[in-house]
Amino acid sequence: MRTPLIAGNWKMNGSLALVEDFGRALAEARLPRGVEVALMVPAPYLAAAVSTLAASEVAVGGQTLNDQPSGAFTGEVSGAMLVDVGARFVLVGHSERRTLFGEDDAAVLARVRAALGVGLIPVLCLGESLEEREAGRTEAVVLGQLAAVFDALSPDERSRLVIAYEPVWAIGTGRTATPEQAQAVHAAIRTRLADYAPALAEGLRVLYGGSMKAANAGELLAQPDIDGGLVGGASLKVDEFLAICQSAG
Ligand code: PGA
């Protein structure tokens, strides 16, 4: 049995006040048993989120990391720094990092390795653009992004990742993949994971992301190969985010 994971991705949004609101609300909320919850907040808020959320068992994660351990990289954040402030997860290869900040498959792999090296759980994001979907290339693109990382890792390293399938055309657009569209890609990812090892396919969590909200989370999470959500816009409203967590229970 895979433990569902609902991860909020605040992107470059939020404030210290919002961190505190979430801390209060999540400490009081009855999160469903057997569901893991995490919040990926902007780097300046990580330490506050870790201490504010300590009472609620909600984990905290970074949104990116540099692949180098330290050095003259102005503005960057290392995996060791994320660990130092109490983060457990880190997003790697989010489509905004790939398209806006030029992170290619090699850069994504280097960051996954850096995260694993310091004991963070990388949430590896995969997804096709609208153009790629319309050209019938969805599986080729997504499985290619997967292979670019997984082919280079050891069996033990592979077992320590979480995958997030996020069709780029559904991110922040209000246009969600239908449960059937999402399930088809999730199943293809799982079949590909089984080529590495059946136990890997059985154990690894594959989250869906792209305009997930309280109103559509239930039907997405009911799909057999969808093991949770990576939630952007809807993770900035505490009631909406809590409702999504409830539908994973
Ligand atoms: P969205 O973002 O839920 O706002 O579409 C998801 C993501 O980019 O992780």
Side-chain angles (χ1 to χ4, degrees):
M1 260 304 280
R2 297 179 291 271
T3 303
L5 169 64
I6 302 294
N9 172 14
W10 280 13
K11 310 191 180 186
M12 198 173 75
N13 297 299
S15 61
L16 205 47
L18 192 66
V19 170
E20 282 158 11
D21 284 352
F22 266 73
R24 262 191 304 275
L26 291 172
E28 284 166 13
R30 285 178 173 265
L31 291 169
R33 291 172 73 87
V35 176
E36 209 175 341
V37 179
L39 271 186
M40 285 37 169
V41 300
Y45 302 137
L46 282 167
V50 168
S51 64
T52 316
L53 294 169
S56 69
E57 289 185 18
V58 173
V60 170
Q63 297 177 3
T64 184
L65 77 169
N66 193 274
D67 60 350
Q68 297 300 310
S70 64
F73 303 102
T74 301
E76 292 295 278
V77 169
S78 73
M81 292 171 185
L82 296 177
V83 171
D84 208 11
V85 295
R88 287 197 38 226
F89 293 91
V90 63
L91 299 179
V92 183
H94 189 281
S95 66
E96 287 150 20
R97 301 295 317 173
R98 292 181 191 258
T99 57
L100 302 175
F101 300 97
E103 289 180 17
D104 59 9
D105 282 337
V108 171
L109 171 60
R111 283 161 173 72
V112 166
R113 284 194 194 285
L116 290 172
V118 293
L120 288 165
I121 301 170
V123 179
L124 172 66
C125 304
L126 316 172
E128 83 288 2
S129 67
L130 185 59
E131 200 181 20
E132 290 163 339
R133 173 163 284 264
E134 286 174 346
R137 298 186 51 233
T138 298
E139 280 194 19
V141 169
V142 170
L143 300 184
Q145 291 170 342
L146 179 76
V149 171
F150 275 60
D151 283 359
L153 299 180
S154 70
D156 171 64
E157 287 171 328
R158 288 178 194 135
S159 71
R160 288 156 54 201
L161 270 77
V162 171
I163 294 173
Y165 167 58
E166 296 204 307
V168 179
W169 48 271
I171 295 178
T173 58
R175 188 174 162 193
T176 319
T178 65
E180 296 72 27
Q181 282 174 322
Q183 167 59 24
V185 181
H186 281 241
I189 291 171
R190 207 172 299 284
T191 302
R192 182 70 184 83
L193 291 174
D195 294 342
Y196 295 104
L200 187 69
E202 204 45 51
L204 230 60
R205 291 177 290 186
V206 186
L207 317 182
Y208 169 80
S211 299
M212 185 184 267
K213 48 185 188 267
N216 59 28
E219 54 178 10
L220 287 160
L221 295 168
Q223 300 300 313
D225 290 300
I226 299 184
D227 308 310
L230 181 54
V231 185
S235 74
L236 290 162
K237 297 175 210 129
V238 74
D239 291 346
E240 183 83 11
F241 185 64
L242 275 171
I244 295 171
C245 296
Q246 297 300 345
S247 34

